[in-house]
Amino acid sequence: MAFWDEQIETLPREELATLQLKRLKNVIARARNSIFYRNRLADIDESQFTKPEDVVQLPFTTKHDLRLNYDFGLLTVPQEEIVRMHSSSGTTGKATVIFHTRRDIANWANLVARCIVMAGAEKRDVFQNIISYGMFTGGLGLHYGAESVGMLVIPSGVGNTKRQIQLMKDFKTTVFHATPSYILYVSEVMEEEGDDPREFDLRIGFVGAEPHSEQTRQKIEDIYDISAFNSYGMSELNGPGVAFECEEKSGMHFWEDQYLLEVVNPHTGEALGPGEEGELVVTTLCREAMPIIRYRTGDLASIVDDGEPCACGRAHVRISRIKGRTDDMLIVRGVNLYPSQIEDVLMSFPEVATNYQLYLERKGTLDELTVKVELYPKMFTGDLRMLRKLENDILKAIQDEIMVRPRVEFHEPGSLPRTEGKAVRVVDLRKEN
Ligand code: DLL
């Protein structure tokens, strides 16, 4: 088993806590160099902190704070010290921007390199980075990490799917990085072109940036005959490289030497324990240009609580898959649900292909949920009885899961809308009425 930074990855938990406390104090002091935190932290005396958990004495930082303090309000260094800017991919409201010093970029590349090596990829691999470059952090984030490891990096970005496939063939790509929805689309194009995705040289895939179920991961692994690893991050916390799966795949290791993690009740802000699902709240422990303290990520997950340290030997906690975002929650006929619950059900049916979308409408006073789902071509043989049975089975399984009876519509593969970046899973037309 390989490590990028064995000493820090396997640091005993007491030593990790000591390191976190020291870094937390430093980061508070540093944050005070920004206009925003100078006021926000005025009453805090961090010299009294005795353990990392004392972080709860600090106020939360929200996306709204970042927006209000656009552009340089959280910057702690003179502008000439910053070498890079990124932006979050939010589609509503003002953008939030994140700045990095040269050391921040090196640190981030190091973290991503940890993830890459943890998943079993190596210098000899050919790495195709099939994800958007630019303000989005997925492209450059993995790019720098992979170069640090010494892989041959093909910065192919997203789109031009036939060219992606050609590059994979010509340069014998062994590792890719993509959103789960786009890499599934790539496999459909391969099949249309008469290529068998299992026949390529691929062996490892990094998938992330959007919620996806365990079944979707398994689908990607089966289709490509690879091992796929879940990757979590967000622009406000650099981007990818925050948490990533090891070969045990029993949760994503959250790099606690760099990020202090809390899980809180999203409504009350109260601390939750291991195994309890809540909102991830994160403090950057090493960032120079723009430290963020107790950031309300909006992402819902839990700390894995299986009572065992991970068999890979890494000491850093593991988090579950991200269930969704606090703002993704749908209320349908008074019932709260997350799109990921429906994905879990859909992807457990082998007849279901790779794409789906949820449509919400209001008929009179009643919400109507339509689950549009693509089936594999073999299902469209004209055997209506078979389709009706499948429809009933899916309906029932969804209803059991979410307590709302949807409509289910079947579509041919490739017929529902696609995006090259993050998939749009929900079309909510109720707001327009
Ligand atoms: O998506 C960073 C990233 C790039 C992560 C590439 C992994 C791979 P943002 O555009 O700021 O940054 O979006 C962050 O995406 O708060 C989550 O809601 C969601 N997200 C990211 N990774 C996952 C994942 C990048 N593995 C937001 N599972 C986050 C579920 C994810 N959701």
Side-chain angles (χ1 to χ4, degrees), residues 316-340:
H316 302 242
V317 290
R318 286 159 287 148
I319 56 166
S320 66
R321 272 178 194 286
I322 307 294
K323 178 173 177 188
R325 298 187 46 79
T326 46
D327 42 18
D328 272 353
M329 192 183 75
L330 299 169
I331 303 180
V332 180
R333 297 186 196 168
V335 175
N336 299 352
L337 61 100
Y338 288 94
S340 64

Side-chain angles (χ1 to χ4, degrees), residues 213-260:
S213 61
E214 180 55 36
Q215 287 84 349
T216 299
R217 180 242 292 281
Q218 280 167 16
K219 205 159 238 180
I220 294 169
E221 293 189 326
D222 287 348
I223 289 174
Y224 284 100
D225 189 22
I226 58 160
S227 186
F229 294 85
N230 191 3
S231 155
Y232 168 76
M234 67 193 313
S235 335
E236 294 89 327
L237 306 175
N238 291 352
V242 176
F244 208 94
E245 282 177 324
C246 67
E247 289 176 280
E248 300 296 323
K249 296 188 183 167
S250 57
M252 295 182 276
H253 285 286
F254 194 100
W255 297 125
E256 293 180 274
D257 59 310
Q258 301 278 327
Y259 302 101
L260 185 58

Side-chain angles (χ1 to χ4, degrees), residues 76 251 341 349:
T76 66
Q341 291 175 277
F349 284 85

Side-chain angles (χ1 to χ4, degrees), residues 88-89 131 136-138 177 207-212 230-236 239-240 252 297 299 322 325 422:
S88 79
S89 56
I131 206 154
F136 176 64
T137 54
H177 173 216
V207 292
E210 64 184 12
H212 58 289
N230 191 3
S231 155
Y232 168 76
M234 67 193 313
S235 335
E236 294 89 327
M252 295 182 276
T297 64
D299 290 325
I322 307 294
R325 298 187 46 79
K422 303 191 189 225

Side-chain angles (χ1 to χ4, degrees), residues 49-80:
F49 286 14
T50 56
K51 50 188 187 309
E53 291 77 19
D54 289 337
V55 72
V56 298
Q57 297 176 34
L58 303 171
F60 290 122
T61 305
T62 63
K63 199 171 189 77
H64 186 64
D65 292 323
L66 300 195
R67 285 197 178 122
L68 283 180
N69 290 279
Y70 181 93
D71 38 14
F72 293 119
L74 273 81
L75 197 61
T76 66
V77 293
Q79 202 178 320
E80 68 252 31

Side-chain angles (χ1 to χ4, degrees), residues 146-181:
E147 279 191 356
S148 303
V149 173
M151 302 158 103
L152 165 55
V153 181
I154 306 177
S156 59
V158 278
N160 205 342
T161 308
K162 288 185 184 163
R163 187 161 155 266
Q164 300 279 4
I165 298 169
Q166 196 61 47
L167 287 167
M168 280 186 192
K169 274 189 192 164
D170 293 349
F171 297 96
K172 303 197 171 10
T173 301
T174 53
V175 179
F176 67 74
H177 173 216
T179 57
S181 52

Side-chain angles (χ1 to χ4, degrees), residues 39 44 103 124 150 156 174 186 201 244 246 257 277 340 363 380 431:
N39 297 328
I44 303 293
R103 194 187 292 173
R124 68 179 166 97
S156 59
T174 53
V186 171
D201 294 279
F244 208 94
C246 67
D257 59 310
E277 186 178 274
S340 64
K363 296 272 164 69
F380 296 98
K431 293 169 193 132

